[in-house]
Amino acid sequence: NARVKVVVRARPPQAGEESTISVNDDQPGLITIRAPATDGSEVTEREFLFDEALSTNTSQVDVFEKTCKSQIDHVLDGFNACLFAYGQTGSGKTYTIFGEEGDSKQGIAP
């Protein structure tokens, strides 16, 4: 499969932080971003559609299965592949790639 696939993973909010992203379970790939107004007016909501959207409770194993497994199979068949993590500081890129100690929390690049 020679195409670009865009996957977004919502990280859990940190302590004292309100979640601004929600993944729509009814429509795969759809997320809603809420941006509170700085002047106290109404909250702005925007929807974005990706190839895949992973919620805050998605396990590392599921992230691997949904984002990387097909690319690894492609490489083993003799083709090239690239996995690219992009996001602002603190968005969870390192956790997604490297994870934590232990089989169930291991990242996609052991």
Side-chain angles (χ1 to χ4, degrees):
N1 178 335
R3 69 181 194 101
V4 174
K5 182 177 178 182
V6 180
V7 179
V8 63
R9 182 182 193 186
R11 72 160 174 78
Q14 297 175 351
E17 182 180 55
E18 185 179 330
S19 181
T20 59
I21 185 171
S22 61
V23 176
N24 186 332
D25 293 329
D26 297 331
Q27 184 174 353
L30 183 67
I31 65 166
T32 303
I33 305 280
R34 287 184 310 284
T38 56
D39 62 2
S41 61
E42 290 188 30
V43 173
T44 303
E45 287 192 354
R46 305 258 190 225
E47 292 183 337
F48 298 92
L49 187 59
F50 298 91
D51 293 309
E52 184 84 41
L54 308 174
S55 67
T56 58
N57 59 358
T58 302
S59 71
Q60 292 285 72
V61 172
D62 287 342
V63 171
F64 175 79
E65 290 290 328
K66 292 181 179 186
T67 62
C68 303
K69 179 139 180 13
S70 64
Q71 294 300 319
I72 290 170
D73 292 341
H74 199 67
V75 167
L76 293 174
D77 288 338
F79 297 96
N80 295 325
C82 177
L83 302 170
F84 182 73
Y86 178 80
Q88 72 183 65
T89 300
S91 63
K93 299 176 301 294
T94 301
Y95 178 76
T96 296
I97 299 297
F98 298 109
E100 298 176 15
E101 292 288 326
D103 290 337
S104 67
K105 294 189 177 186
Q106 188 174 18
I108 61 175

